[in-house]
Amino acid sequence: MTENTQQNPAPTTELPTQYAPAEVEGALYERWVDRGYFTADANSEKEPYTIVIPPPNVTGALHLGHAFQVTLMDALTRRKRMQGYETLWLPGMDHAGIATQNKVEQQLAEEGKSRQDLGREAFTDRVWQWKDEYGGRILGQLRRLGAGLDWSRERFTMDEGLSKAVQTIFKNLYDDGLIYRAERIINWCPRCLTAISDIEVDYQDDDGELVSLKYGEGDETVVVATTRVETMLGDTAVAVHPDDERYAHLIGKRIKLPLTDRTIPVVADTHVDPEFGTGAVKVTPAHDPNDFAIGQRHDLESMTIMDERGVITVHGPFQGLDRFEARSAIVAALREQGRVVAEKRPYVHSVGHCSRCETTVEPRLSLQWWVKVDPLAQAAGDAVRDGRVALHPKDMEKRYFDWVDNLNDWCISRQLWWGHRIPVWYGPNGEVVCVGPDDPIPGTEAEGWTQDEDVLDTWFSSGLWPFSTLGWPEKTPDLEKFYSTDVLVTGHDIIFFWVVRMMMFGLYAMEDQVPFKTVALTGLVRDEFGKKMSKSNPNAVDPLDWMDAYGSDAVRFTLATGANPGADVPIGEDWVKASRNFANKIWNATRFALMNGATVEGPLPAPEKMTATDRWILSRLNKTVAEVDAFYDDFQFAKLSDALYHFAWDEVFDWYVELSKTTFFEGGEQAKVSGRVLGEVLDVTLRLLHPIVPFVTETLWTTLTGGETLVIAEWPKAVSVPGADAPGGFRDAAAESEIETLQQVITEVRRFRADQGLQPGQRVPARLDLDGTALAPHEAAIRQLLRLQPEGDDFSATATLPVGGAQVALDLSGTIDVAAERKRLAKDLAAAEKEKAQATGKLGNEAFLAKAPDAVVDKIRGRLAKADEDIARIQQQLERLPQA
């Protein structure tokens, strides 16, 4: 055992009979925080290990996706802290521009007010008040989960330091020509009245209509189809493919645009797919990104035909109508003129909605601020290509490159009041001045100087998170010590929107230093049937409810068990219950061990003093230590959790403890030896389990060892045994083989007893022929575990099981009705053989196979395989039955 630097006075062997998480977790977590276990020291000489938490929205509440990623980050940092690293896991929150502004606007609406009633300054003050009163509850919920975050370094994307970082990098990018202002197509929310990012657009299948319209007259007629008829008022061309012979005579000509007094040109553009629809498309440059690109290539006019609220602003009859009202009115007007060629409704198609208010998003030409991403994206791609940043799992690299190599310029301005205001000032004579954090304002409002009204996209400030949280642009001790960060744990769904932005900004601001060395990508948490969890579905779960019912460790272990790299994670309440049972198993087994002399005092005994069972469990322990380390290093949380579960439950609790009970009950020197072995095994096992299930392991380990805390205890290495040192720690292949044979005997006899309908506790007379085998020393354990009593004078071997080189003879004459059992098994055998005959007949019928669906054929093959298994099993049971 490796000692802590501090010890509690003495371990106590008393534990409550049951584990009650609610009575342990809260106080234990506050003890960890108060004692500073999670606080990193920038002046330490230890090797650093850094993770910054993906900042949850200030408006957010803990959901299973948060709990999942936080569990993995906590496991990584707890292990590294135990391995002796100076570990920093930095917490914080994102100001969440649109989401937070919406919250406060809703509050105002309940008071009969709007933000315009307050004005910008008063409204912003109101948002800060809301943040102080209601924001950040998720951080308290992370404490419930046991997250070992350094709360002394908590950051907020709009605190003073991070605001300075935002203004600095904006100024630097602007001066380098990488930020500019231009009119482009953006996602516009007519309800939030702002541009929104791609990640803030939720696409869903809506019932709409596809209307085919006839443009032009006579030989100069073209049919186009659209789901957004209202935008035809802003058409400035029809486009066809240059090689489409159907329209060759129209290219370069102008045709009549219905309902207007305008004519528009027919242009040739390779973007058009001649095989899709009629091969002709309407072009509305101000209201569609693809059309905008066509307009740029052909120097077309861009006509904005609706305002920021989605109200039509052109063409008398429709002016003033909402976009959806105008759609119906325009279709009716076109129908009257005979311009509607076809109407398909409902026409299900993918439509973007604002993720905050669910309003249908409108593509809109707008004057916005942009980041020129080409050089930044090139650097972000190169960092992965040259191995400075590793994506895990590696197959995510293709998705990363597909995105970063084709990245469009990034719209960073938002028409909100809550956020980092764009640090650009406009003068009375057209001057444009970008102001850094230490620069003076160029002039006063009275002199005609005004600041840009827009704020920056939330992703702009969160893109600085790995280095701004450590003090950049100042050269702080934290930045010097803890940057670059080691691992970013985040969902694969935001690899494009956040990971790439952090890569671009990190490499730019930190002189080619990567923001993180590894990106560990996770999947999404889904319900037990694989369906996406959603507030609108009844499958949404509040993890706090599960923590209340089963404890935080149970939720954490369930999430870790499902964490295969990059894959979605199914979770159901029954699985959380099973994890609760595992915590209870650890508790009860440790309690039993303490009551039976388990100890960590003194060195391990020499191998010759141990039983084969002792040597076996130590050998298996070292194998598990090596496996867990390898799985951690490969971010294989599901595999390491599975390895720990089966080692702890199956090998330690179900086999070692059970096989050693006879030794413990007999007492004496051998019991002391096994007690020391069991103490070592529990010590190491609890250390291995601690990063994933910290609360129950802390309680048990401090009781077992008297140590101060597992949080700063040493991470286990391979166990060495005096006189038996070897690379990788003590291993004993002979003991492993011996106990494996013992397990085989016990498992086989248990299966036979179950097949004969014997109750688990029912005792049966038995003769054990173990001479000449390695099982001879284990006769007492075999009899104890299998409920086999010694043979009496009237013993009659009615069933003999040759297994593991030994023979186990059982006298079942007084325990079962052999004749009745044979009759029952014969009936089961006849049914299985009939099933086999029917399945074989169908599979041998060529006509049936030619017509039957594959699923039906597969089902019958499964029935045949099951029948074969049943026949073999029943025949074996009959052979083993005594003669009647």
Side-chain angles (χ1 to χ4, degrees):
M1 171 192 154
T2 304
E3 300 291 339
N4 268 326
T5 54
Q6 295 182 347
Q7 292 274 313
N8 288 336
T12 173
T13 58
E14 293 187 7
L15 286 169
T17 55
Q18 290 184 325
Y19 177 50
E23 297 175 10
V24 170
E25 293 177 350
L28 192 52
Y29 185 85
E30 293 308 316
R31 176 175 175 267
W32 290 335
V33 173
D34 291 344
R35 295 197 177 189
Y37 297 145
F38 304 141
T39 304
D41 181 2
N43 298 314
S44 167
E45 294 183 0
K46 296 179 183 177
E47 185 177 348
Y49 183 84
T50 314
I51 293 180
V52 291
I53 196 170
N57 286 354
V58 67
T59 61
L62 186 72
H63 58 62
L64 280 170
H66 292 129
F68 171 50
Q69 292 181 0
V70 166
T71 294
L72 304 189
M73 285 182 275
D74 197 35
L76 290 171
T77 51
R78 282 180 182 271
R79 172 175 176 255
K80 286 295 183 180
R81 191 179 293 112
M82 293 173 75
Q83 286 180 317
Y85 288 79
E86 192 60 42
T87 302
L88 170 60
W89 185 19
L90 192 147
M93 293 181 298
D94 192 286
H95 65 278
I98 295 177
T100 309
Q101 180 157 317
N102 279 349
K103 287 279 187 184
V104 178
E105 287 196 84
Q106 289 167 11
Q107 228 180 34
L108 289 174
E110 292 171 3
E111 301 170 13
K113 300 176 183 176
S114 70
R115 62 179 162 125
Q116 286 77 17
D117 293 331
L118 271 66
R120 183 168 194 144
E121 185 175 346
F123 176 79
T124 303
D125 289 342
R126 180 71 177 257
V127 181
W128 278 106
Q129 291 172 20
W130 182 93
K131 184 260 181 187
D132 292 339
E133 186 172 354
Y134 300 105
R137 61 175 172 152
I138 188 172
L139 297 182
Q141 294 165 342
L142 295 181
R143 299 167 84 98
R144 278 286 314 275
L145 194 63
L149 291 151
D150 183 350
W151 296 108
S152 71
R153 287 177 165 86
E154 180 186 334
R155 303 306 300 268
F156 179 54
T157 50
M158 283 186 63
D159 67 29
E160 184 178 350
L162 269 64
S163 295
K164 182 176 182 179
V166 168
Q167 198 170 352
T168 299
I169 200 165
F170 187 101
K171 169 72 170 172
N172 292 346
L173 289 164
Y174 181 88
D175 289 347
D176 287 344
L178 296 175
I179 284 183
Y180 64 94
R181 199 180 189 209
E183 273 197 323
R184 298 277 182 83
I185 294 286
I186 45 86
N187 302 308
W188 180 267
C189 176
R191 153 58 183 80
C192 298
L193 299 180
T194 181
I196 59 177
S197 67
D198 291 339
I199 199 171
E200 291 163 328
V201 179
D202 292 336
Y203 287 91
Q204 62 189 48
D205 288 340
D206 285 0
D207 284 345
E209 59 179 346
L210 181 67
V211 183
S212 297
L213 307 174
K214 183 171 63 176
Y215 286 10
E217 303 289 349
D219 293 338
E220 297 181 353
T221 296
V222 177
V223 174
V224 298
T226 181
T227 58
R228 300 166 66 218
V229 175
E230 67 280 6
T231 63
M232 60 87 57
L233 298 176
D235 285 357
T236 56
V238 169
V240 298
H241 194 277
D243 298 330
D244 193 335
E245 295 181 358
R246 293 172 295 176
Y247 303 112
H249 67 290
L250 290 178
I251 295 173
K253 293 186 177 180
R254 300 185 70 88
I255 60 175
K256 171 73 174 176
L257 179 66
L259 302 183
T260 73
D261 57 1
R262 294 189 292 117
T263 61
I264 56 176
V266 178
V267 299
D269 197 284
T270 54
H271 171 76
V272 180
D273 180 1
E275 303 298 323
F276 183 78
T278 64
V281 297
K282 59 191 287 300
V283 182
T284 321
H287 293 277
D288 182 274
N290 294 322
D291 293 3
F292 179 78
I294 293 174
Q296 293 283 293
R297 287 193 290 271
H298 298 278
D299 197 25
L300 300 175
E301 181 185 1
S302 294
M303 291 184 59
T304 300
I305 56 101
M306 63 182 78
D307 66 15
E308 68 274 9
R309 296 184 183 276
V311 174
I312 302 298
T313 57
V314 298
H315 200 70
F318 311 108
Q319 192 168 358
L321 294 180
D322 171 82
R323 53 187 168 154
F324 300 118
E325 295 173 336
R327 181 177 298 174
S328 299
I330 291 171
V331 169
L334 289 167
R335 195 182 293 117
E336 274 189 32
Q337 292 187 6
R339 294 284 180 177
V340 176
V341 176
E343 296 177 74
K344 183 178 181 180
R345 70 167 68 86
Y347 178 73
V348 178
H349 61 130
S350 182
V351 177
H353 295 260
C354 175
S355 63
R356 305 301 176 191
C357 66
E358 300 184 2
T359 301
T360 299
V361 169
E362 189 65 40
R364 174 181 170 84
L365 184 64
S366 182
L367 181 63
Q368 302 284 347
W369 286 94
W370 303 81
V371 171
K372 184 179 180 181
V373 301
D374 281 350
L376 304 174
Q378 177 68 43
D382 290 345
V384 174
R385 287 189 173 92
D386 63 25
R388 283 177 291 157
V389 176
L391 265 59
H392 190 87
K394 190 174 178 60
D395 60 16
M396 287 288 178
E397 285 186 2
K398 183 180 185 303
R399 293 177 62 184
Y400 178 85
F401 292 133
D402 285 347
W403 179 262
V404 79
D405 293 344
N406 297 285
L407 204 57
N408 295 319
D409 285 0
W410 170 21
C411 175
I412 56 172
S413 47
R414 299 291 180 266
Q415 290 64 55
L416 303 170
W417 287 355
W418 172 245
H420 295 100
R421 195 162 175 183
I422 288 176
V424 172
W425 291 74
Y426 305 106
N429 300 310
E431 302 96 331
V432 179
V433 178
C434 181
V435 176
D438 300 320
D439 297 337
I441 303 302
T444 66
E445 190 172 333
E447 295 168 340
W449 286 87
T450 58
Q451 186 176 0
D452 195 294
E453 292 289 328
D454 290 350
V455 301
L456 288 163
D457 179 10
T458 295
W459 295 98
F460 190 94
S461 51
S462 61
L464 316 182
W465 189 251
F467 54 93
S468 64
T469 52
L470 297 173
W472 187 91
E474 307 300 329
K475 293 183 178 180
T476 64
D478 276 3
L479 193 65
E480 178 69 22
K481 177 73 174 180
F482 295 112
Y483 192 86
S484 299
T485 70
D486 287 89
V487 180
L488 173 73
V489 178
T490 191
H492 62 65
D493 55 324
I494 59 171
I495 185 174
F496 320 122
F497 307 105
W498 189 44
V499 176
V500 171
R501 309 223 189 291
M502 287 189 288
M503 289 282 281
M504 292 193 301
F505 282 168
L507 291 163
Y508 173 80
M510 296 299 296
E511 299 176 349
D512 288 333
Q513 275 188 282
V514 296
F516 24 72
K517 302 177 185 76
T518 300
V519 182
L521 294 163
T522 69
L524 305 177
V525 178
R526 297 182 178 272
D527 72 12
E528 58 195 300
F529 305 107
K531 294 181 179 178
K532 183 178 179 180
M533 287 191 175
S534 169
K535 291 180 181 178
S536 59
N537 291 335
N539 65 352
V541 173
D542 185 343
L544 295 170
D545 291 341
W546 281 353
M547 284 191 271
D548 289 341
Y550 308 112
S552 297
D553 285 335
V555 174
R556 291 169 61 113
F557 192 75
T558 305
L559 290 165
T561 302
N564 289 298
D568 288 349
V569 183
I571 185 171
E573 187 167 6
D574 286 345
W575 303 344
V576 183
K577 289 179 182 177
S579 295
R580 184 270 316 273
N581 294 343
F582 180 49
N584 289 342
K585 184 78 170 181
I586 301 169
W587 183 273
N588 293 334
T590 304
R591 186 169 178 272
F592 169 86
L594 289 168
M595 292 169 63
N596 286 276
T599 180
V600 296
E601 298 299 323
L604 282 170
E608 60 271 17
K609 292 186 177 181
M610 298 182 196
T611 65
T613 309
D614 293 334
R615 298 193 301 277
W616 165 76
I617 196 61
L618 288 174
S619 188
R620 298 298 299 168
L621 174 66
N622 280 341
K623 178 178 183 294
T624 302
V625 169
E627 283 182 343
V628 168
D629 276 330
F631 288 142
Y632 260 117
D633 292 341
D634 198 34
F635 304 98
Q636 297 280 359
F637 294 96
K639 290 182 179 179
L640 74 88
S641 300
D642 189 62
L644 285 169
Y645 176 90
H646 287 294
F647 175 72
W649 191 306
D650 298 345
E651 297 190 302
V652 179
F653 306 146
D654 276 0
W655 282 110
Y656 179 73
V657 169
E658 291 299 322
L659 289 170
S660 301
K661 276 184 177 178
T662 302
T663 301
F664 291 132
F665 292 161
E666 290 176 353
E669 194 61 32
Q670 194 61 62
K672 291 181 181 178
V673 170
S674 293
R676 179 65 189 89
V677 170
L678 180 53
E680 185 75 14
V681 170
L682 287 174
D683 176 16
V684 174
T685 302
L686 291 170
R687 291 173 193 253
L688 291 172
L689 282 165
H690 177 72
I692 296 177
V693 285
F695 293 109
V696 68
T697 53
E698 171 87 341
T699 306
L700 294 173
W701 186 84
T702 52
T703 303
L704 171 71
T705 68
E708 177 192 351
T709 178
L710 261 177
V711 178
I712 56 172
E714 187 174 326
W715 181 252
K717 299 181 178 68
V719 173
S720 295
V721 173
D725 287 342
F730 175 78
R731 295 299 295 268
D732 191 327
E736 290 200 42
S737 176
E738 181 176 327
I739 302 304
E740 185 179 333
T741 302
L742 177 59
Q743 291 172 321
Q744 182 184 356
V745 170
I746 293 172
T747 301
E748 187 65 22
V749 176
R750 279 176 173 166
R751 184 181 296 118
F752 176 75
R753 287 176 56 106
D755 287 344
Q756 307 311 314
L758 297 177
Q759 295 300 313
Q762 189 173 355
R763 294 196 167 274
V764 178
R767 181 173 62 242
L768 305 184
D769 185 3
L770 308 177
D771 292 344
T773 74
L775 299 176
H778 302 287
E779 179 168 351
I782 292 173
R783 288 189 178 277
Q784 173 67 24
L785 292 175
L786 292 173
R787 303 295 189 267
L788 303 180
Q789 62 192 43
E791 55 186 301
D793 295 337
D794 58 347
F795 179 82
S796 175
T798 56
T800 301
L801 306 178
V803 59
Q807 284 196 335
V808 179
L810 304 175
D811 183 355
L812 304 179
S813 57
T815 57
I816 61 172
D817 184 336
V818 176
E821 186 65 12
R822 281 189 175 278
K823 185 175 181 181
R824 182 185 70 80
L825 289 173
K827 183 178 179 182
D828 290 346
L829 180 61
E833 288 174 337
K834 181 179 179 182
E835 175 73 4
K836 177 178 180 177
Q838 289 176 343
T840 302
K842 287 187 176 181
L843 293 173
N845 185 333
E846 294 295 336
F848 170 78
L849 293 176
K851 295 179 181 179
D854 290 344
V856 173
V857 175
D858 289 343
K859 186 175 181 180
I860 294 171
R861 289 196 180 108
R863 285 169 49 192
L864 177 60
K866 176 68 166 50
D868 283 334
E869 290 175 7
D870 289 344
I871 290 168
R873 176 179 54 81
I874 295 167
Q875 286 175 338
Q876 187 179 51
Q877 289 178 246
L878 284 167
E879 289 170 4
R880 287 177 169 179
L881 273 177
Q883 296 299 315

